[in-house]
Amino acid sequence: CEETHYPFDLAINLSLGLEQPIAFDLALRLPTWADGFELNGADDYEMRDGFIHIQRTWQSGDHISLRFTTTVKTHAWRNSEVYFSRGPLLFALPLPGESRPGRSYPRPGFQDEYVDAASREASLSASRGETFSLEQGIFDPQHPWESLGLRGQLSGSPVRLAPMGGTILRQVTFAVKD
């Protein structure tokens, strides 16, 4: 059994339900974005080929807790631009838009939605060395994209970046200004 709110929370809990004890190598991939990990429930492991290997005889009810550690990262992009990530998520500046209904389909509840940008404002920029900090709230499975964001400044103004998957209109890359 696996319990997680990944990618919104970087903890993964595994519980084994086995008919009888069995020896095998449990291999858990360490993502390239992870700076490290915390492992509970396995005192002896080996790092090999980008995986955390736990070799032992497993019993029903054995439990492993794995938490990846990482920081907010700034990535260089072409044309002197940057973008921001934390773990597997990319973050974007949500842009205001005006929604209007589109084409309707024969099945009830299915309809296209068109979203137009509310304004044509100039793009925001990032200063060199700009840092963002993680803002993590309580996870709500009904609104998972709202459970975390990044706080920082763009063009000298405070902003909150949202996970890209939780935005419709967005700015993802930011020109770097000195």
Side-chain angles (χ1 to χ4, degrees):
C1 177
E2 176 187 27
E3 294 178 22
T4 186
H5 294 139
Y6 184 89
F8 307 102
D9 181 30
L10 303 180
I12 301 166
N13 297 306
L14 301 169
S15 297
L16 281 75
L18 304 168
E19 291 181 13
Q20 61 188 23
I22 185 168
F24 64 89
D25 181 13
L26 177 64
L28 305 167
R29 187 177 66 83
L30 183 63
T32 57
W33 51 257
D35 299 327
F37 63 93
E38 299 166 5
L39 182 64
N40 293 312
D43 298 328
D44 192 25
Y45 65 87
E46 177 185 350
M47 289 299 304
R48 189 173 70 243
D49 302 323
F51 286 82
I52 305 160
H53 291 269
I54 308 166
Q55 175 69 46
R56 72 179 203 209
T57 300
W58 297 92
Q59 309 275 338
S60 189
D62 282 352
H63 180 79
I64 298 288
S65 294
L66 174 64
R67 175 178 290 283
F68 298 116
T69 57
T70 191
T71 58
V72 175
K73 294 184 171 76
T74 302
H75 306 271
W77 191 241
R78 60 180 166 226
N79 302 325
S80 299
E81 294 177 319
V82 295
Y83 65 96
F84 303 96
S85 71
R86 178 186 177 268
L89 297 175
L90 296 179
F91 286 80
L93 179 68
L95 300 175
E98 297 172 5
S99 177
R100 57 188 165 86
R103 177 181 169 197
S104 292
Y105 296 90
R107 187 164 179 94
F110 285 87
Q111 179 177 8
D112 289 343
E113 178 183 10
Y114 300 113
V115 181
D116 300 313
S119 66
R120 303 275 183 210
E121 295 178 15
S123 294
L124 295 175
S125 61
S127 299
R128 270 199 207 288
E130 184 67 62
T131 59
F132 279 79
S133 59
L134 178 67
E135 179 181 76
Q136 191 157 13
I138 296 170
F139 181 79
D140 177 358
Q142 298 299 314
H143 305 282
W145 299 105
E146 297 170 14
S147 65
L148 62 124
L150 300 180
R151 286 267 180 214
Q153 290 199 354
L154 294 171
S155 295
S157 299
V159 295
R160 182 179 189 271
L161 302 182
M164 192 169 81
T167 62
I168 296 174
L169 299 177
R170 59 192 166 253
Q171 181 179 346
V172 179
T173 63
F174 306 93
V176 177
K177 301 289 184 193
D178 289 322

